[in-house]
Amino acid sequence: MGWLRNAMIGAVVVVAAGASMVATRPPVAEATATDASRTDVRVAVVGDSLSAGRSRFLGNGLDDESWMTYANGDGIEFAGGWARSGATPDEMAAAVQPVRNVDVLVVLAGTNAVRVGRTVAQEEQAYRTIARVVGAREVIVSALPPYDWKAAEALRYNRELQRFATNSGWTWVDPWVFARSGNGWAAGVSVDGTHPAGPEQYQRLGESFRRIILEDVRTRAPFRVGR
C-alpha cells in the first residue's frame, strides 16, 4: 500500500484474555526484522488464550485460532510477543520480553483478572510494565469480550480499563462489536461464553483488529516505519 511508505506506524502488541491455565512457560516468540527500509507495521502480541491459538501458547506459532493469523500480511507484520492460556496481566508482565523493531503495542488482557477477582487498579502496574518492556511507540488497549461467567464484573472491568488506558495516553478500541449482543455474546459467536467458537470467529476478530491497526496508522501519519 503506497500510503504506508509515508505513514507513521507504531507496531502492535496484543494482550488477550482467556480462561484455562497452562503451567509451563516456554520461550517468548519473536519474529525478526532486518530490512531498514521496511514499510510494514510491526505488530507484537502479548496475552492469553484469546491470542495464544490452539496450542494455548503463542510461542508455538500462529494457527487458525490465532486472531493475528488473519491480521498479518499486506502491510502488517507479526513481530512476536507472548500469550499463554489462563494468564492474568501480572503474569504476562512477569513473562514478557522486549520485542525488536516494534511499532505498535496492542493489549487485550483482563478476562482472567476478572475470573480470579482482580480489579484494574490491582493490574495497572502490570499493564504499564508490559508497555514499557515491549517498547512500542504506540499502545492500543482492547476491550474484553463478553464473559458469561462474571458478566457484570467484566463490564465493570472494561469501563475501568478504558478510563485507565485513556488516562495513560493509549488508544482504546473495541474489536468485539461483531461478537456482542447487548451485554453478552451474539448468537453463534461463542460456545463456552468466554472464547470465540472457532476459526471463523477468530478470523472475524483478526479482521477487526487489522482494520483498527491500519486506521491507527492512517490517523497518525506521517511517520517512518521503524524510526
Side-chain angles (χ1 to χ4, degrees):
M1 299 181 183
W3 59 268
L4 280 170
R5 294 188 176 88
N6 297 316
M8 175 177 185
I9 303 175
V12 182
V13 175
V14 181
V15 182
S20 57
M21 291 296 295
V22 172
T24 58
R25 179 183 157 187
V28 172
E30 182 169 347
T32 60
T34 58
D35 183 0
S37 63
R38 64 184 174 85
T39 58
D40 288 352
V41 185
R42 292 267 295 167
V43 176
V45 179
V46 176
D48 50 28
S49 58
L50 292 173
S51 295
R54 285 184 182 272
S55 74
R56 310 204 307 177
F57 182 69
L58 184 61
N60 296 325
L62 301 178
D63 57 43
D64 65 348
E65 290 194 356
S66 306
W67 66 259
M68 188 63 208
T69 297
Y70 308 102
N72 197 31
D74 193 20
I76 292 177
E77 180 183 358
F78 175 51
W82 190 93
R84 191 200 68 194
S85 179
T88 56
D90 60 320
E91 291 170 330
M92 299 169 201
V96 72
Q97 297 178 15
V99 180
R100 294 169 55 191
N101 300 322
V102 177
D103 299 310
V104 181
L105 160 63
V106 177
V107 179
L108 166 54
T111 295
N112 286 300
V114 175
R115 175 176 59 83
V116 299
R118 292 180 64 82
T119 65
V120 171
Q122 292 171 310
E123 296 285 7
E124 283 183 358
Q125 188 55 49
Y127 289 102
R128 293 189 185 101
T129 298
I130 292 165
R132 175 180 54 79
V133 170
V134 171
R137 293 188 59 179
E138 301 293 339
V139 178
I140 295 175
V141 177
S142 171
L144 308 185
Y147 184 46
D148 288 354
W149 310 106
K150 292 186 176 182
E153 291 90 337
L155 288 170
R156 181 166 59 251
Y157 194 99
N158 257 343
R159 290 193 297 269
E160 293 172 355
L161 184 59
Q162 180 178 10
R163 181 164 54 249
F164 169 65
T166 301
N167 290 343
S168 298
W170 301 334
T171 300
W172 169 263
V173 302
D174 185 0
W176 299 99
V177 174
F178 76 94
R180 299 184 191 279
S181 179
N183 293 330
W185 290 92
V189 179
S190 179
V191 174
D192 64 4
T194 304
H195 307 89
E200 179 181 349
Q201 291 75 27
Y202 277 100
Q203 179 176 355
R204 294 187 68 182
L205 178 61
E207 291 170 347
S208 181
F209 266 121
R210 178 179 175 80
R211 288 191 297 270
I212 287 167
I213 293 164
L214 293 179
E215 180 60 28
D216 187 66
V217 168
R218 293 187 186 99
T219 59
R220 296 177 186 278
F223 85 71
R224 296 180 62 187
V225 176
R227 295 297 298 273

